[in-house]
Amino acid sequence: MNDDAQPDLPDDGRFPALRSPGYRLLWIGLTISAVGTKMQDTTIRWHVYELTHSMIALGLIGLFRFVPLVLCSLLGGAVADSKDRRAILLTTQIVLAASAAVLAFVTRTGAVSVVSIYAVSAIGAAALAFDSPARQSLIPSLVPRKHFSNAASLNSTGLKVATVIGPYLAGMLLQQGSIAIIYAINAASFLAVLIALICIQPAAMERKHAEAARMSLAGLRDGFAFVWSQPIQVWTICLDFLASFFSSAEALLPVFAKDVLHVDARGYGLLTAASAAGSVTAGSVMAYRRPVARQGLTMLCAVAVYGLSTIVFGCSQLIYLSLAALAVTGAADTVSSILRQTIRQMGTPDHLRGRMTAINMIFFTGGPQVGNLEAGLVASAMGAPFSVVSGGIGCLLAVTWIASRAKVLRTYRNTETTDVP
């Protein structure tokens, strides 16, 4: 990370990462775009269930996203470490905008099918396999090292604000049958990121490492070798994958809305937004306070709370209790994800960040997607509540096992903030 990128920035005040002009522009653009993305994600699940009335079909959305992620992630990481990250992001944002526009067109003309939705989901996942490593590797070069934890918190908060606004707006439009309009709004929202990337001065994103990675098999091996040589990275990967695999209730929200809680499309939008409302609260607190010192133990506790609140949601037949439980899952997940991102980025050299992010992305993005498939299959056989409750129990068992085995994670502290309680 470039500690000298913003030498004149003052150290006082809250949200110091926003004092970096390049990061501020990108953060605003990404937050606006995320609103459209969350509107589309919410709509796709509702749309598929409307077309098929099948819980397995809902779970298959995760499979069609997972396969391209696995196939493309390592290549995406190598590209992020060897090519212009700004150019990569410009390309991926155009692809994502185009795929959303196609989905809007086929829906508006009546040519949409579940196969076309799966295809667009797969294209979007492939684009994200290149987008995420480039984006996450770029951000550390836009802020001073001491402000990165704040940037990570702001990234999460911006995303979660979008996850509150996006599903709520989607629910309102779904109630009016405006599915094509939602997809069109998402396509237009990518303009915010494209404008931000164009406005950021290229010089602000230059990476000064001398050992630029080459696109080669050896370069990919270097990425794997680095990650597996860091026990803290390995255990955070395991924790991330197992927790998200077992506690993926997201795919079943249309089922809970229609068949368990008996609410309409607006109620579904609220359920989807509830997790994000908790996330916004937790992310805002994390961004406002000083960095957490006992990061490993805090992460383990957050994942345990995530599993417990998932169980409560699976057992609930009351809309307000369900909303509260989902809000707690969102808050706990945000605390955990911010700490994981900080630990990983702070311990990784700049020339390896893209490949590190790509390797982690297979697990932290793949876990929920495979978990969604598992949740759909179990729900089809045993019912949606059983699927969610058993997943929450699996999450608790996973975090208990990891806590008992991973002393390096239990005792991990942020050495740069030793004054934080």
Side-chain angles (χ1 to χ4, degrees):
M1 184 178 299
N2 185 3
D3 288 312
D4 300 321
Q6 304 289 343
D8 298 325
L9 295 177
D11 294 335
D12 57 338
R14 300 297 181 180
F15 313 123
L18 291 178
R19 298 178 182 272
S20 302
Y23 172 76
R24 183 170 62 248
L25 279 171
L26 186 61
W27 181 78
I28 292 171
L30 289 171
T31 301
I32 293 172
S33 177
V35 173
T37 299
K38 294 304 176 182
M39 290 179 69
Q40 176 164 302
D41 288 346
T42 301
T43 302
I44 281 177
R45 290 192 294 271
W46 184 267
H47 201 180
V48 167
Y49 197 57
E50 286 267 292
L51 291 171
T52 65
H53 301 286
S54 168
M55 288 179 276
I56 294 178
L58 283 173
L60 284 173
I61 298 172
L63 178 64
F64 279 95
R65 288 174 173 169
F66 176 70
V67 172
L69 280 171
V70 172
L71 295 178
C72 299
S73 286
L74 294 179
L75 179 59
V79 170
D81 282 336
S82 60
K83 305 297 181 182
D84 182 347
R85 291 164 180 169
R86 178 172 174 263
I88 296 169
L89 288 172
L90 285 167
T91 302
T92 56
Q93 295 298 303
I94 291 172
V95 171
L96 289 167
S99 63
V102 169
L103 196 53
F105 176 77
V106 296
T107 301
R108 181 68 181 84
T109 59
V112 70
S113 66
V114 69
V115 173
S116 62
I117 295 175
Y118 288 155
V120 169
S121 297
I123 292 170
L128 287 175
F130 290 88
D131 182 273
S132 186
R135 174 167 34 85
Q136 293 192 37
S137 301
L138 172 63
I139 289 173
S141 69
L142 298 178
V143 297
R145 181 183 180 87
K146 59 188 174 182
H147 294 165
F148 179 76
S149 178
N150 183 252
S153 297
L154 285 167
N155 290 343
S156 180
T157 301
L159 177 62
K160 298 308 179 182
V161 167
T163 311
V164 173
I165 298 172
Y168 178 76
L169 293 177
M172 298 293 290
L173 291 171
L174 283 172
Q175 190 67 21
Q176 300 173 19
S178 305
I179 293 179
I181 292 176
I182 295 172
Y183 296 146
I185 290 173
N186 182 41
S189 72
F190 288 102
L191 289 173
V193 184
L194 293 172
I195 292 172
L197 289 168
I198 291 171
C199 290
I200 294 174
Q201 293 297 320
M205 292 184 288
E206 288 178 356
R207 293 170 294 128
K208 298 182 179 180
H209 60 268
E211 300 177 1
R214 291 180 299 172
M215 289 283 295
S216 66
L217 184 60
L220 293 177
R221 286 200 301 266
D222 289 345
F224 271 111
F226 172 77
V227 170
W228 301 129
S229 70
Q230 305 293 314
I232 188 66
Q233 296 246 13
V234 174
W235 282 115
T236 57
I237 287 175
C238 290
L239 180 64
D240 202 357
F241 180 83
L242 291 175
S244 59
F245 174 81
F246 285 117
S247 289
S248 293
E250 185 179 68
L252 298 177
L253 286 182
V255 182
F256 274 87
K258 287 189 171 184
D259 303 334
V260 178
L261 300 171
H262 306 292
V263 295
D264 57 16
R266 284 177 292 186
Y268 166 64
L270 288 174
L271 285 171
T272 307
S275 175
S279 297
V280 169
T281 303
S284 299
V285 171
M286 293 284 284
Y288 188 77
R289 75 181 302 275
R290 292 177 179 271
V292 174
R294 303 188 67 180
Q295 293 180 335
L297 182 60
T298 304
M299 190 189 312
L300 289 166
C301 292
V303 176
V305 171
Y306 179 72
L308 284 170
S309 54
T310 298
I311 294 172
V312 173
F313 171 73
C315 293
S316 172
Q317 294 186 347
L318 302 173
I319 182 65
Y320 292 110
L321 178 59
S322 297
L323 291 170
L326 288 172
V328 175
T329 64
D333 183 55
T334 292
V335 172
S336 176
S337 64
I338 289 172
L339 295 178
R340 288 195 306 268
Q341 183 180 1
T342 302
I343 290 171
R344 291 164 181 168
Q345 294 288 354
M346 291 297 92
T348 303
D350 184 66
H351 71 282
L352 288 171
R353 280 202 180 99
R355 282 163 288 177
M356 179 277 296
T357 300
I359 292 167
N360 278 277
M361 189 171 68
I362 293 175
F363 297 94
F364 74 70
T365 305
Q369 302 305 336
V370 178
N372 285 340
L373 176 60
E374 177 269 341
L377 293 172
V378 174
S380 180
M382 304 296 294
F386 178 87
S387 177
V388 172
V389 171
S390 61
I393 293 172
C395 177
L396 290 178
L397 293 175
V399 72
T400 300
W401 176 73
I402 290 174
S404 67
R405 297 291 301 273
K407 181 180 179 180
V408 66
L409 185 56
R410 294 197 311 271
T411 60
Y412 184 86
R413 297 180 66 92
N414 183 356
T415 57
E416 295 187 1
T417 52
T418 55
D419 60 328
V420 180

